[in-house]
mmCIF file of all heavy atoms in Angstrom:
data_model
loop_
_atom_site.group_PDB
_atom_site.id
_atom_site.type_symbol
_atom_site.label_atom_id
_atom_site.label_comp_id
_atom_site.label_asym_id
_atom_site.label_seq_id
_atom_site.Cartn_x
_atom_site.Cartn_y
_atom_site.Cartn_z
ATOM 1 N N VAL A 265 0.446 2.222 -0.747
ATOM 2 C CA VAL A 265 1.210 3.455 -0.862
ATOM 3 C C VAL A 265 1.026 4.305 0.387
ATOM 4 O O VAL A 265 -0.074 4.422 0.916
ATOM 5 C CB VAL A 265 0.753 4.255 -2.094
ATOM 6 C CG1 VAL A 265 1.471 5.590 -2.147
ATOM 7 C CG2 VAL A 265 1.017 3.451 -3.359
ATOM 8 N N GLN A 266 2.111 4.877 0.855
ATOM 9 C CA GLN A 266 2.069 5.850 1.952
ATOM 10 C C GLN A 266 2.669 7.152 1.461
ATOM 11 O O GLN A 266 3.658 7.152 0.733
ATOM 12 C CB GLN A 266 2.825 5.331 3.168
ATOM 13 C CG GLN A 266 2.155 4.131 3.835
ATOM 14 C CD GLN A 266 2.829 3.724 5.125
ATOM 15 O OE1 GLN A 266 4.026 3.932 5.285
ATOM 16 N NE2 GLN A 266 2.071 3.161 6.036
ATOM 17 N N LEU A 267 2.062 8.252 1.874
ATOM 18 C CA LEU A 267 2.491 9.572 1.436
ATOM 19 C C LEU A 267 2.976 10.376 2.630
ATOM 20 O O LEU A 267 2.323 10.378 3.686
ATOM 21 C CB LEU A 267 1.339 10.315 0.766
ATOM 22 C CG LEU A 267 0.668 9.617 -0.413
ATOM 23 C CD1 LEU A 267 -0.529 10.428 -0.897
ATOM 24 C CD2 LEU A 267 1.658 9.417 -1.543
ATOM 25 N N VAL A 268 4.080 11.070 2.457
ATOM 26 C CA VAL A 268 4.625 11.914 3.519
ATOM 27 C C VAL A 268 4.886 13.296 2.953
ATOM 28 O O VAL A 268 5.658 13.448 1.998
ATOM 29 C CB VAL A 268 5.932 11.331 4.092
ATOM 30 C CG1 VAL A 268 6.499 12.264 5.165
ATOM 31 C CG2 VAL A 268 5.682 9.939 4.671
ATOM 32 N N GLU A 269 4.222 14.294 3.555
ATOM 33 C CA GLU A 269 4.409 15.672 3.136
ATOM 34 C C GLU A 269 5.454 16.354 4.017
ATOM 35 O O GLU A 269 5.637 15.983 5.179
ATOM 36 C CB GLU A 269 3.102 16.476 3.237
ATOM 37 C CG GLU A 269 1.929 15.908 2.474
ATOM 38 C CD GLU A 269 0.992 15.084 3.337
ATOM 39 O OE1 GLU A 269 1.471 14.532 4.356
ATOM 40 O OE2 GLU A 269 -0.197 14.979 2.991
ATOM 41 N N SER A 270 6.088 17.384 3.472
ATOM 42 C CA SER A 270 7.024 18.197 4.240
ATOM 43 C C SER A 270 7.094 19.578 3.607
ATOM 44 O O SER A 270 6.603 19.788 2.494
ATOM 45 C CB SER A 270 8.424 17.567 4.274
ATOM 46 O OG SER A 270 8.946 17.455 2.974
ATOM 47 N N GLY A 271 7.705 20.515 4.343
ATOM 48 C CA GLY A 271 7.925 21.847 3.789
ATOM 49 C C GLY A 271 7.021 22.926 4.332
ATOM 50 O O GLY A 271 7.182 24.100 3.989
ATOM 51 N N GLY A 272 6.057 22.559 5.159
ATOM 52 C CA GLY A 272 5.181 23.571 5.718
ATOM 53 C C GLY A 272 5.894 24.416 6.752
ATOM 54 O O GLY A 272 7.037 24.144 7.130
ATOM 55 N N GLY A 273 5.206 25.468 7.205
ATOM 56 C CA GLY A 273 5.797 26.329 8.213
ATOM 57 C C GLY A 273 5.074 27.640 8.322
ATOM 58 O O GLY A 273 3.975 27.815 7.785
ATOM 59 N N LEU A 274 5.712 28.568 9.019
ATOM 60 C CA LEU A 274 5.176 29.914 9.211
ATOM 61 C C LEU A 274 5.887 30.866 8.251
ATOM 62 O O LEU A 274 7.129 30.882 8.200
ATOM 63 C CB LEU A 274 5.399 30.360 10.651
ATOM 64 C CG LEU A 274 5.053 31.815 10.994
ATOM 65 C CD1 LEU A 274 3.563 32.069 10.809
ATOM 66 C CD2 LEU A 274 5.483 32.127 12.419
ATOM 67 N N VAL A 275 5.112 31.643 7.526
ATOM 68 C CA VAL A 275 5.682 32.581 6.562
ATOM 69 C C VAL A 275 4.869 33.873 6.587
ATOM 70 O O VAL A 275 3.662 33.858 6.873
ATOM 71 C CB VAL A 275 5.699 31.963 5.146
ATOM 72 C CG1 VAL A 275 4.289 31.685 4.650
ATOM 73 C CG2 VAL A 275 6.469 32.819 4.168
ATOM 74 N N GLN A 276 5.520 34.977 6.304
ATOM 75 C CA GLN A 276 4.831 36.269 6.273
ATOM 76 C C GLN A 276 4.049 36.424 4.974
ATOM 77 O O GLN A 276 4.390 35.811 3.953
ATOM 78 C CB GLN A 276 5.839 37.401 6.403
ATOM 79 C CG GLN A 276 6.504 37.481 7.767
ATOM 80 C CD GLN A 276 7.381 38.711 7.911
ATOM 81 O OE1 GLN A 276 7.756 39.336 6.941
ATOM 82 N NE2 GLN A 276 7.710 39.059 9.149
ATOM 83 N N PRO A 277 3.005 37.227 4.988
ATOM 84 C CA PRO A 277 2.276 37.509 3.740
ATOM 85 C C PRO A 277 3.225 37.989 2.650
ATOM 86 O O PRO A 277 4.126 38.803 2.919
ATOM 87 C CB PRO A 277 1.282 38.597 4.154
ATOM 88 C CG PRO A 277 1.058 38.355 5.612
ATOM 89 C CD PRO A 277 2.381 37.900 6.150
ATOM 90 N N GLY A 278 3.027 37.460 1.447
ATOM 91 C CA GLY A 278 3.906 37.779 0.335
ATOM 92 C C GLY A 278 5.081 36.838 0.195
ATOM 93 O O GLY A 278 5.798 36.894 -0.816
ATOM 94 N N GLY A 279 5.288 35.982 1.165
ATOM 95 C CA GLY A 279 6.413 35.056 1.140
ATOM 96 C C GLY A 279 6.125 33.810 0.320
ATOM 97 O O GLY A 279 5.064 33.675 -0.298
ATOM 98 N N SER A 280 7.087 32.898 0.350
ATOM 99 C CA SER A 280 7.003 31.669 -0.437
ATOM 100 C C SER A 280 7.325 30.446 0.412
ATOM 101 O O SER A 280 8.075 30.537 1.386
ATOM 102 C CB SER A 280 7.996 31.728 -1.609
ATOM 103 O OG SER A 280 7.697 32.790 -2.480
ATOM 104 N N LEU A 281 6.757 29.336 0.006
ATOM 105 C CA LEU A 281 7.072 28.029 0.585
ATOM 106 C C LEU A 281 7.021 26.993 -0.530
ATOM 107 O O LEU A 281 6.284 27.165 -1.502
ATOM 108 C CB LEU A 281 6.086 27.629 1.685
ATOM 109 C CG LEU A 281 6.214 28.243 3.068
ATOM 110 C CD1 LEU A 281 5.045 27.789 3.948
ATOM 111 C CD2 LEU A 281 7.540 27.886 3.711
ATOM 112 N N ARG A 282 7.765 25.912 -0.333
ATOM 113 C CA ARG A 282 7.710 24.791 -1.271
ATOM 114 C C ARG A 282 7.395 23.522 -0.510
ATOM 115 O O ARG A 282 8.155 23.098 0.356
ATOM 116 C CB ARG A 282 9.041 24.641 -2.014
ATOM 117 C CG ARG A 282 9.025 23.574 -3.111
ATOM 118 C CD ARG A 282 10.333 23.585 -3.862
ATOM 119 N NE ARG A 282 10.313 22.711 -5.048
ATOM 120 C CZ ARG A 282 10.997 21.588 -5.135
ATOM 121 N NH1 ARG A 282 11.748 21.180 -4.136
ATOM 122 N NH2 ARG A 282 10.939 20.859 -6.238
ATOM 123 N N LEU A 283 6.252 22.941 -0.832
ATOM 124 C CA LEU A 283 5.840 21.696 -0.202
ATOM 125 C C LEU A 283 6.315 20.519 -1.041
ATOM 126 O O LEU A 283 6.344 20.593 -2.273
ATOM 127 C CB LEU A 283 4.322 21.645 -0.061
ATOM 128 C CG LEU A 283 3.662 22.795 0.693
ATOM 129 C CD1 LEU A 283 2.159 22.531 0.813
ATOM 130 C CD2 LEU A 283 4.286 23.012 2.040
ATOM 131 N N SER A 284 6.656 19.438 -0.342
ATOM 132 C CA SER A 284 7.068 18.214 -1.011
ATOM 133 C C SER A 284 6.229 17.049 -0.513
ATOM 134 O O SER A 284 5.782 17.039 0.639
ATOM 135 C CB SER A 284 8.547 17.913 -0.731
ATOM 136 O OG SER A 284 9.380 18.950 -1.180
ATOM 137 N N CYS A 285 6.041 16.079 -1.383
ATOM 138 C CA CYS A 285 5.336 14.858 -1.011
ATOM 139 C C CYS A 285 6.035 13.686 -1.684
ATOM 140 O O CYS A 285 6.270 13.707 -2.897
ATOM 141 C CB CYS A 285 3.881 14.926 -1.451
ATOM 142 S SG CYS A 285 2.945 13.408 -1.153
ATOM 143 N N VAL A 286 6.352 12.690 -0.882
ATOM 144 C CA VAL A 286 7.022 11.512 -1.401
ATOM 145 C C VAL A 286 6.182 10.289 -1.076
ATOM 146 O O VAL A 286 5.735 10.110 0.068
ATOM 147 C CB VAL A 286 8.430 11.347 -0.783
ATOM 148 C CG1 VAL A 286 9.085 10.087 -1.308
ATOM 149 C CG2 VAL A 286 9.278 12.570 -1.088
ATOM 150 N N ALA A 287 5.982 9.463 -2.082
ATOM 151 C CA ALA A 287 5.217 8.229 -1.912
ATOM 152 C C ALA A 287 6.166 7.056 -1.719
ATOM 153 O O ALA A 287 7.150 6.921 -2.441
ATOM 154 C CB ALA A 287 4.338 7.993 -3.129
ATOM 155 N N SER A 288 5.857 6.221 -0.742
ATOM 156 C CA SER A 288 6.609 4.991 -0.549
ATOM 157 C C SER A 288 5.751 3.806 -0.969
ATOM 158 O O SER A 288 4.527 3.898 -0.958
ATOM 159 C CB SER A 288 7.042 4.845 0.917
ATOM 160 O OG SER A 288 5.904 4.789 1.751
ATOM 161 N N GLY A 289 6.408 2.719 -1.334
ATOM 162 C CA GLY A 289 5.663 1.588 -1.862
ATOM 163 C C GLY A 289 5.580 1.679 -3.376
ATOM 164 O O GLY A 289 6.170 2.551 -4.005
ATOM 165 N N SER A 290 4.812 0.809 -3.973
ATOM 166 C CA SER A 290 4.712 0.793 -5.420
ATOM 167 C C SER A 290 3.916 1.987 -5.933
ATOM 168 O O SER A 290 2.846 2.291 -5.428
ATOM 169 C CB SER A 290 4.013 -0.481 -5.889
ATOM 170 O OG SER A 290 3.797 -0.434 -7.282
ATOM 171 N N THR A 291 4.459 2.673 -6.914
ATOM 172 C CA THR A 291 3.760 3.796 -7.543
ATOM 173 C C THR A 291 3.295 3.421 -8.948
ATOM 174 O O THR A 291 2.888 4.289 -9.712
ATOM 175 C CB THR A 291 4.655 5.040 -7.604
ATOM 176 O OG1 THR A 291 5.859 4.703 -8.295
ATOM 177 C CG2 THR A 291 4.998 5.535 -6.205
ATOM 178 N N PHE A 292 3.314 2.129 -9.267
ATOM 179 C CA PHE A 292 2.823 1.678 -10.564
ATOM 180 C C PHE A 292 1.334 1.983 -10.659
ATOM 181 O O PHE A 292 0.574 1.696 -9.740
ATOM 182 C CB PHE A 292 3.060 0.182 -10.718
ATOM 183 C CG PHE A 292 2.542 -0.368 -12.024
ATOM 184 C CD1 PHE A 292 3.196 -0.094 -13.208
ATOM 185 C CD2 PHE A 292 1.404 -1.157 -12.078
ATOM 186 C CE1 PHE A 292 2.732 -0.585 -14.416
ATOM 187 C CE2 PHE A 292 0.933 -1.653 -13.270
ATOM 188 C CZ PHE A 292 1.595 -1.375 -14.441
ATOM 189 N N GLY A 293 0.939 2.573 -11.760
ATOM 190 C CA GLY A 293 -0.474 2.857 -11.959
ATOM 191 C C GLY A 293 -0.977 4.152 -11.354
ATOM 192 O O GLY A 293 -2.184 4.387 -11.316
ATOM 193 N N VAL A 294 -0.056 4.996 -10.895
ATOM 194 C CA VAL A 294 -0.502 6.300 -10.374
ATOM 195 C C VAL A 294 -0.940 7.163 -11.550
ATOM 196 O O VAL A 294 -0.173 7.436 -12.452
ATOM 197 C CB VAL A 294 0.625 6.984 -9.579
ATOM 198 C CG1 VAL A 294 0.232 8.423 -9.235
ATOM 199 C CG2 VAL A 294 0.919 6.213 -8.308
ATOM 200 N N ASN A 295 -2.193 7.593 -11.516
ATOM 201 C CA ASN A 295 -2.748 8.384 -12.608
ATOM 202 C C ASN A 295 -2.546 9.877 -12.409
ATOM 203 O O ASN A 295 -2.387 10.626 -13.368
ATOM 204 C CB ASN A 295 -4.246 8.113 -12.741
ATOM 205 C CG ASN A 295 -4.529 6.649 -12.924
ATOM 206 O OD1 ASN A 295 -3.885 5.983 -13.731
ATOM 207 N ND2 ASN A 295 -5.480 6.129 -12.180
ATOM 208 N N SER A 296 -2.624 10.309 -11.165
ATOM 209 C CA SER A 296 -2.525 11.728 -10.886
ATOM 210 C C SER A 296 -2.042 11.937 -9.460
ATOM 211 O O SER A 296 -2.175 11.059 -8.609
ATOM 212 C CB SER A 296 -3.877 12.421 -11.067
ATOM 213 O OG SER A 296 -4.815 11.930 -10.134
ATOM 214 N N MET A 297 -1.483 13.105 -9.232
ATOM 215 C CA MET A 297 -1.070 13.520 -7.897
ATOM 216 C C MET A 297 -1.590 14.933 -7.689
ATOM 217 O O MET A 297 -1.583 15.747 -8.622
ATOM 218 C CB MET A 297 0.452 13.455 -7.736
ATOM 219 C CG MET A 297 1.023 12.074 -8.015
ATOM 220 S SD MET A 297 2.769 11.887 -7.574
ATOM 221 C CE MET A 297 2.668 11.783 -5.791
ATOM 222 N N ALA A 298 -2.025 15.212 -6.475
ATOM 223 C CA ALA A 298 -2.693 16.488 -6.231
ATOM 224 C C ALA A 298 -2.407 17.007 -4.833
ATOM 225 O O ALA A 298 -1.894 16.279 -3.975
ATOM 226 C CB ALA A 298 -4.201 16.327 -6.416
ATOM 227 N N TRP A 299 -2.742 18.257 -4.644
ATOM 228 C CA TRP A 299 -2.697 18.893 -3.332
ATOM 229 C C TRP A 299 -4.088 19.407 -2.986
ATOM 230 O O TRP A 299 -4.767 19.994 -3.827
ATOM 231 C CB TRP A 299 -1.704 20.051 -3.307
ATOM 232 C CG TRP A 299 -0.276 19.621 -3.358
ATOM 233 C CD1 TRP A 299 0.512 19.517 -4.470
ATOM 234 C CD2 TRP A 299 0.542 19.238 -2.250
ATOM 235 N NE1 TRP A 299 1.771 19.083 -4.120
ATOM 236 C CE2 TRP A 299 1.817 18.918 -2.769
ATOM 237 C CE3 TRP A 299 0.334 19.149 -0.878
ATOM 238 C CZ2 TRP A 299 2.874 18.507 -1.947
ATOM 239 C CZ3 TRP A 299 1.376 18.737 -0.061
ATOM 240 C CH2 TRP A 299 2.633 18.417 -0.614
ATOM 241 N N TYR A 300 -4.472 19.195 -1.746
ATOM 242 C CA TYR A 300 -5.698 19.742 -1.175
ATOM 243 C C TYR A 300 -5.300 20.493 0.096
ATOM 244 O O TYR A 300 -4.190 20.321 0.603
ATOM 245 C CB TYR A 300 -6.682 18.624 -0.828
ATOM 246 C CG TYR A 300 -7.349 17.986 -2.015
ATOM 247 C CD1 TYR A 300 -6.658 17.148 -2.879
ATOM 248 C CD2 TYR A 300 -8.703 18.214 -2.269
ATOM 249 C CE1 TYR A 300 -7.261 16.564 -3.971
ATOM 250 C CE2 TYR A 300 -9.331 17.628 -3.361
ATOM 251 C CZ TYR A 300 -8.606 16.804 -4.200
ATOM 252 O OH TYR A 300 -9.219 16.223 -5.276
ATOM 253 N N ARG A 301 -6.226 21.278 0.598
ATOM 254 C CA ARG A 301 -5.972 21.965 1.860
ATOM 255 C C ARG A 301 -7.248 22.085 2.669
ATOM 256 O O ARG A 301 -8.346 22.057 2.117
ATOM 257 C CB ARG A 301 -5.360 23.346 1.620
ATOM 258 C CG ARG A 301 -6.295 24.346 0.951
ATOM 259 C CD ARG A 301 -5.536 25.634 0.619
ATOM 260 N NE ARG A 301 -6.411 26.636 0.005
ATOM 261 C CZ ARG A 301 -5.986 27.799 -0.466
ATOM 262 N NH1 ARG A 301 -4.687 28.100 -0.433
ATOM 263 N NH2 ARG A 301 -6.842 28.657 -0.991
ATOM 264 N N GLN A 302 -7.066 22.203 3.974
ATOM 265 C CA GLN A 302 -8.213 22.356 4.858
ATOM 266 C C GLN A 302 -7.887 23.402 5.909
ATOM 267 O O GLN A 302 -6.962 23.225 6.718
ATOM 268 C CB GLN A 302 -8.577 21.030 5.531
ATOM 269 C CG GLN A 302 -9.857 21.087 6.328
ATOM 270 C CD GLN A 302 -10.358 19.715 6.715
ATOM 271 O OE1 GLN A 302 -9.637 18.710 6.637
ATOM 272 N NE2 GLN A 302 -11.624 19.631 7.104
ATOM 273 N N ALA A 303 -8.641 24.483 5.872
ATOM 274 C CA ALA A 303 -8.495 25.550 6.852
ATOM 275 C C ALA A 303 -9.373 25.251 8.055
ATOM 276 O O ALA A 303 -10.357 24.492 7.943
ATOM 277 C CB ALA A 303 -8.884 26.887 6.226
ATOM 278 N N PRO A 304 -9.068 25.825 9.204
ATOM 279 C CA PRO A 304 -9.874 25.572 10.407
ATOM 280 C C PRO A 304 -11.345 25.904 10.176
ATOM 281 O O PRO A 304 -11.673 26.986 9.675
ATOM 282 C CB PRO A 304 -9.244 26.511 11.449
ATOM 283 C CG PRO A 304 -7.844 26.700 10.994
ATOM 284 C CD PRO A 304 -7.910 26.691 9.494
ATOM 285 N N GLY A 305 -12.209 24.972 10.519
ATOM 286 C CA GLY A 305 -13.639 25.197 10.398
ATOM 287 C C GLY A 305 -14.189 25.095 8.993
ATOM 288 O O GLY A 305 -15.375 25.379 8.768
ATOM 289 N N LYS A 306 -13.338 24.705 8.035
ATOM 290 C CA LYS A 306 -13.787 24.609 6.638
ATOM 291 C C LYS A 306 -13.580 23.196 6.103
ATOM 292 O O LYS A 306 -12.826 22.408 6.663
ATOM 293 C CB LYS A 306 -13.033 25.613 5.777
ATOM 294 C CG LYS A 306 -13.323 27.063 6.123
ATOM 295 C CD LYS A 306 -12.683 27.996 5.115
ATOM 296 C CE LYS A 306 -13.018 29.449 5.404
ATOM 297 N NZ LYS A 306 -12.427 30.380 4.408
ATOM 298 N N GLN A 307 -14.250 22.914 4.997
ATOM 299 C CA GLN A 307 -14.077 21.613 4.359
ATOM 300 C C GLN A 307 -12.763 21.583 3.580
ATOM 301 O O GLN A 307 -12.244 22.619 3.162
ATOM 302 C CB GLN A 307 -15.251 21.338 3.413
ATOM 303 C CG GLN A 307 -16.566 21.095 4.126
ATOM 304 C CD GLN A 307 -17.661 20.645 3.170
ATOM 305 O OE1 GLN A 307 -17.651 20.985 1.997
ATOM 306 N NE2 GLN A 307 -18.604 19.859 3.674
ATOM 307 N N ARG A 308 -12.273 20.374 3.382
ATOM 308 C CA ARG A 308 -11.075 20.206 2.561
ATOM 309 C C ARG A 308 -11.393 20.638 1.136
ATOM 310 O O ARG A 308 -12.450 20.301 0.602
ATOM 311 C CB ARG A 308 -10.616 18.748 2.600
ATOM 312 C CG ARG A 308 -9.249 18.502 2.001
ATOM 313 C CD ARG A 308 -8.782 17.076 2.244
ATOM 314 N NE ARG A 308 -8.646 16.783 3.675
ATOM 315 C CZ ARG A 308 -8.125 15.667 4.154
ATOM 316 N NH1 ARG A 308 -7.670 14.738 3.328
ATOM 317 N NH2 ARG A 308 -8.045 15.466 5.447
ATOM 318 N N GLU A 309 -10.451 21.378 0.518
ATOM 319 C CA GLU A 309 -10.683 21.872 -0.826
ATOM 320 C C GLU A 309 -9.519 21.564 -1.746
ATOM 321 O O GLU A 309 -8.367 21.458 -1.309
ATOM 322 C CB GLU A 309 -10.931 23.393 -0.813
ATOM 323 C CG GLU A 309 -9.757 24.217 -0.350
ATOM 324 C CD GLU A 309 -10.018 25.720 -0.462
ATOM 325 O OE1 GLU A 309 -11.150 26.138 -0.798
ATOM 326 O OE2 GLU A 309 -9.067 26.490 -0.213
ATOM 327 N N PHE A 310 -9.825 21.445 -3.013
ATOM 328 C CA PHE A 310 -8.832 21.178 -4.047
ATOM 329 C C PHE A 310 -7.937 22.395 -4.234
ATOM 330 O O PHE A 310 -8.398 23.533 -4.226
ATOM 331 C CB PHE A 310 -9.558 20.848 -5.347
ATOM 332 C CG PHE A 310 -8.693 20.856 -6.559
ATOM 333 C CD1 PHE A 310 -7.846 19.801 -6.840
ATOM 334 C CD2 PHE A 310 -8.712 21.931 -7.433
ATOM 335 C CE1 PHE A 310 -7.043 19.814 -7.960
ATOM 336 C CE2 PHE A 310 -7.919 21.955 -8.566
ATOM 337 C CZ PHE A 310 -7.079 20.889 -8.829
ATOM 338 N N VAL A 311 -6.641 22.125 -4.439
ATOM 339 C CA VAL A 311 -5.687 23.200 -4.709
ATOM 340 C C VAL A 311 -5.096 23.062 -6.110
ATOM 341 O O VAL A 311 -5.163 23.988 -6.913
ATOM 342 C CB VAL A 311 -4.551 23.209 -3.666
ATOM 343 C CG1 VAL A 311 -3.501 24.256 -4.032
ATOM 344 C CG2 VAL A 311 -5.090 23.460 -2.265
ATOM 345 N N ALA A 312 -4.508 21.899 -6.406
ATOM 346 C CA ALA A 312 -3.846 21.720 -7.697
ATOM 347 C C ALA A 312 -3.677 20.235 -7.973
ATOM 348 O O ALA A 312 -3.637 19.424 -7.054
ATOM 349 C CB ALA A 312 -2.484 22.417 -7.714
ATOM 350 N N ILE A 313 -3.565 19.903 -9.265
ATOM 351 C CA ILE A 313 -3.397 18.513 -9.670
ATOM 352 C C ILE A 313 -2.470 18.428 -10.863
ATOM 353 O O ILE A 313 -2.435 19.337 -11.700
ATOM 354 C CB ILE A 313 -4.762 17.863 -9.997
ATOM 355 C CG1 ILE A 313 -4.629 16.356 -10.201
ATOM 356 C CG2 ILE A 313 -5.382 18.516 -11.232
ATOM 357 C CD1 ILE A 313 -5.975 15.624 -10.276
ATOM 358 N N ILE A 314 -1.703 17.348 -10.928
ATOM 359 C CA ILE A 314 -0.888 17.046 -12.093
ATOM 360 C C ILE A 314 -1.184 15.604 -12.488
ATOM 361 O O ILE A 314 -1.185 14.704 -11.659
ATOM 362 C CB ILE A 314 0.623 17.264 -11.816
ATOM 363 C CG1 ILE A 314 1.447 16.982 -13.070
ATOM 364 C CG2 ILE A 314 1.115 16.443 -10.640
ATOM 365 C CD1 ILE A 314 2.883 17.504 -12.978
ATOM 366 N N VAL A 315 -1.478 15.411 -13.787
ATOM 367 C CA VAL A 315 -1.820 14.079 -14.263
ATOM 368 C C VAL A 315 -0.632 13.488 -15.021
ATOM 369 O O VAL A 315 0.362 14.170 -15.265
ATOM 370 C CB VAL A 315 -3.079 14.104 -15.146
ATOM 371 C CG1 VAL A 315 -4.269 14.560 -14.326
ATOM 372 C CG2 VAL A 315 -2.891 14.977 -16.360
ATOM 373 N N GLY A 316 -0.777 12.218 -15.391
ATOM 374 C CA GLY A 316 0.352 11.477 -15.927
ATOM 375 C C GLY A 316 1.045 12.116 -17.118
ATOM 376 O O GLY A 316 2.252 12.039 -17.248
ATOM 377 N N GLY A 317 0.277 12.774 -17.968
ATOM 378 C CA GLY A 317 0.882 13.405 -19.135
ATOM 379 C C GLY A 317 1.542 14.737 -18.843
ATOM 380 O O GLY A 317 2.139 15.342 -19.746
#
Side-chain angles (χ1 to χ4, degrees):
V265 175
Q266 292 186 331
L267 304 175
V268 178
E269 304 97 333
S270 61
L274 173 64
V275 63
Q276 292 187 343
S280 298
L281 282 175
R282 185 175 188 250
L283 304 184
S284 300
C285 175
V286 178
S288 61
S290 174
T291 56
F292 178 73
V294 171
N295 304 313
S296 64
M297 303 190 75
W299 289 95
Y300 287 72
R301 67 186 181 185
Q302 187 167 15
K306 295 187 177 181
Q307 291 188 331
R308 191 172 298 187
E309 64 175 6
F310 167 77
V311 175
I313 189 170
I314 182 166
V315 296

